[in-house]
Amino acid sequence: MKNTVVTFQEMKAKGEKITMLTAYDYSTAKLVDEAGINSILVGDSLGNVVLGYPDTVSVTMEDMIHHGAAVSRGTKDALVVIDMPFLSYQTSVYDAVVNAGRLMKEGRAGAVKLEGGEEVCPQIRAITTASIPVVAHLGLTPQSINVFGGYKSQARDLKSAKKLIRDAELVQEAGAFAVVLECVPARLAELVSSRLSIPTIGIGAGAGCDGQVLVYADMLAMFSDFRPKFVKAFANVGEVMKAGFKAYDEEVKAGTYPAEEHTYSIDDEVFEQLLKEI
Ligand code: KIV
């Protein structure tokens, strides 16, 4: 069944947990979709996971469109959300609408995600007015890594916890249909979830959120550069891949691959004639 913005609202109303995973390519998107995950996030974490940057700040609109379109082609039922990359919306409301529109028209996004609270409410309002659904993102917002001074949990003192609650209410009022809460205390995330009518999607924010999101390469133990505390390895795919690569290396070198069943034949007569003619 096709998941939409309305599915998210209905699931929150029924108290059903929403699942979201990242994907950055066609084949992975197909597997995530076939597994019944409600939503696929083409996260700008592709900067780390796919492109090998130390953070997400170098990711471009072209990167997001390229990978977003591939994911959309591989997806039947999940709602595809594409991240707006750094400086594609902070610069002006106009830029925000134009770039969100590109992610929808060229990337075939069903919704876009952007980071920030009160300061990006004008952008959220304008993008949703243009009929593009928006997911907000609060707490640890990786595009602001240079301001935070590292990947640290957020909103743990009174002032910043109050600010998180206020920002969550403001992005909802501005028109966001869901909000990602990243690396914030579980009790605070649960409190925010109970105060909002839109669903919260947690990552490192405890079980009290309305849904959960993870980077697929983290939860399959494929990405080894760093492993945040909140990540659980649901399968050891990294090790399985390495074992497969090693077996291939060994068989090619030993001459056991390719075997007879992996080859194409040519008619004896054709081959003999060929030998005569060359
Ligand atoms: O880019 C991303 O993958 C994200 C998730 C971590 C929420 O924003």
Side-chain angles (χ1 to χ4, degrees), residues 22 24 41 43-46 56 83 113 115 137 142 180 182 203 213 215:
T22 68
Y24 316 104
L41 172 65
D44 60 355
S45 52
L46 75 84
T56 60
D83 258 347
K113 178 167 81 57
E115 298 180 4
H137 185 158
V180 167
E182 180 165 355
I203 174 163
V213 58
V215 169

Side-chain angles (χ1 to χ4, degrees), residues 19-263:
T19 51
M20 179 186 269
L21 281 175
T22 68
Y24 316 104
D25 66 85
Y26 172 82
S27 299
T28 310
K30 257 180 100 173
L31 292 171
V32 174
D33 190 65
E34 285 164 12
I37 299 297
N38 296 119
S39 178
I40 298 181
L41 172 65
V42 188
D44 60 355
S45 52
L46 75 84
N48 306 100
V49 176
V50 178
L51 303 175
Y53 295 127
D55 51 48
T56 60
V57 299
S58 299
V59 176
T60 64
M61 275 296 296
E62 270 54 48
D63 292 332
M64 297 312 299
I65 290 168
H66 183 72
H67 289 272
V71 166
S72 295
R73 288 192 288 272
T75 304
K76 259 189 18 229
D77 293 332
L79 173 65
V80 175
V81 179
I82 304 184
D83 258 347
M84 300 199 69
F86 184 51
L87 293 192
S88 68
Y89 57 96
Q90 292 94 337
T91 43
S92 72
V93 168
Y94 176 83
D95 286 350
V97 176
V98 169
N99 286 321
R102 287 192 69 200
L103 294 177
M104 191 174 244
K105 291 177 80 152
E106 299 172 53
R108 303 294 304 170
V112 299
K113 178 167 81 57
L114 53 79
E115 298 180 4
E118 184 171 12
E119 71 283 9
V120 293
C121 280
Q123 283 88 333
I124 294 175
R125 204 165 281 114
I127 296 169
T128 52
T129 301
S131 300
I132 301 168
V134 173
V135 179
H137 185 158
L138 299 171
L140 174 58
T141 46
Q143 291 174 14
S144 302
I145 191 69
N146 291 303
V147 176
F148 293 143
Y151 292 103
K152 300 171 188 160
S153 57
Q154 301 293 315
R156 296 175 82 170
D157 60 45
L158 184 61
K159 190 171 167 218
S160 57
K162 277 182 166 173
K163 177 167 165 40
L164 185 93
I165 294 173
R166 181 172 155 72
D167 278 340
E169 289 172 350
L170 286 173
V171 296
Q172 170 176 276
E173 201 182 297
F177 77 92
V179 55
V180 167
L181 300 177
E182 180 165 355
C183 288
V184 299
R187 287 171 73 190
L188 177 61
E190 189 172 2
L191 177 65
V192 171
S193 307
S194 70
R195 290 171 69 100
L196 295 187
S197 58
I198 60 172
T200 57
I201 310 293
I203 174 163
C209 294
D210 301 302
Q212 297 292 325
V213 58
L214 282 175
V215 169
Y216 93 89
D218 284 340
M219 52 83 74
L220 294 183
M222 293 168 68
F223 183 69
S224 56
D225 287 6
F226 54 87
R227 181 129 181 245
K229 177 184 174 177
F230 56 79
V231 170
K232 175 175 171 179
F234 286 83
N236 217 333
V237 174
E239 282 306 316
V240 173
M241 287 175 78
K242 246 193 274 178
F245 298 149
K246 234 173 138 230
Y248 166 76
D249 183 69
E250 283 165 8
E251 288 198 26
V252 170
K253 286 171 180 162
T256 53
Y257 176 83
E260 187 68 29
E261 69 265 30
H262 307 121
T263 58

